[in-house]
Amino acid sequence: MAIGALVTHANNRWFYVLMAYACALVAFIGFTPTYWAPVVAGSFPGPPILHLHGLLFSAWMLFFITQTTLAATERVEHHRALGLFGIALATAMLIVGIIAQLHSLKVGIAASLEVENRTFSIVPISIVIFFACEVAVAIANIPRPETHKRLMLVATISILPPAIARLIAVMASLPIAPGYHPPIAFSLIPSFVSDL
């Protein structure tokens, strides 16, 4: 009985590592056609705020992989020390995420798509606010490791819908460009996929 409990505990720890890799894979694959490939080709037209946005949100995926691995290998002191960086990173993501959306709104207004862009703004802004709140609740639950790690996983999954939306758009041959958003109902599909 005790051996079975130990095996279950070990598998539980590695589950979060596998989920961290899965989240990172979805994020990087989702943004490759619209961000990473154009950046590598030198053809990404976006301003510095979009690069900072991409850097921070990508850094979160790498941070989450590192944190789950440290926890799974029982290097708790390193996990806690790096957690302070995670708090700063999540805070920067909140601020830069909102600024990036305001930039997108400005581009949409310049393209005479003000109503569509103002309507769609609720999607990315609510995603980044939910992420930040979820991280804050996870931090408050550090004394309860099982709750803490579940909340951190939910926070990470909550920022995946934009990557999933890009994958769906590429598969459906829908145009993707700053300021040109799909109908707000479209956001339900990637959100539903990430919820699954």
Side-chain angles (χ1 to χ4, degrees):
M1 185 78 166
I3 293 173
L6 286 173
V7 170
T8 301
H9 177 67
N11 289 339
N12 183 28
R13 285 184 293 148
W14 287 104
F15 166 78
Y16 290 94
V17 176
L18 292 173
M19 287 302 295
Y21 275 101
C23 289
L25 188 63
V26 168
F28 286 107
I29 289 173
F31 279 97
T32 292
T34 60
Y35 182 73
W36 293 111
V39 165
V40 170
S43 62
F44 185 76
I49 189 66
L50 296 184
H51 290 293
L52 182 57
H53 174 74
L55 175 69
L56 292 174
F57 279 73
S58 298
W60 179 267
M61 293 301 167
L62 300 176
F63 166 78
F64 191 56
I65 288 170
T66 303
Q67 285 294 76
T68 55
T69 302
L70 287 172
T73 55
E74 299 183 350
R75 290 181 284 176
V76 179
E77 290 306 314
H78 296 293
H79 176 86
R80 286 185 182 150
L82 191 57
L84 296 175
F85 169 76
I87 294 169
L89 178 58
T91 304
M93 289 167 67
L94 172 63
I95 295 165
V96 171
I98 290 172
I99 294 171
Q101 179 51 39
L102 292 175
H103 166 76
S104 181
L105 180 59
K106 183 179 172 183
V107 169
I109 291 169
S112 301
L113 298 168
E114 182 173 356
V115 173
E116 297 89 338
N117 276 269
R118 287 193 185 280
T119 302
F120 194 81
S121 288
I122 189 65
V123 175
I125 289 176
S126 63
I127 286 173
V128 75
I129 289 173
F130 179 82
F131 164 79
C133 290
E134 202 64 15
V135 170
V137 175
I139 291 165
N141 278 282
I142 287 173
R144 293 172 284 286
E146 292 301 314
T147 302
H148 170 74
K149 61 188 175 184
R150 285 176 172 84
L151 291 169
M152 292 301 281
L153 177 58
V154 169
T156 303
I157 291 171
S158 76
I159 57 175
L160 292 179
I164 295 167
R166 281 161 176 77
L167 285 172
I168 293 169
V170 167
M171 289 187 288
S173 298
L174 298 172
I176 303 170
Y180 294 88
H181 297 292
I184 196 163
F186 176 81
S187 68
L188 297 175
I189 300 167
S191 295
F192 179 70
V193 172
S194 69
D195 288 348
L196 286 178

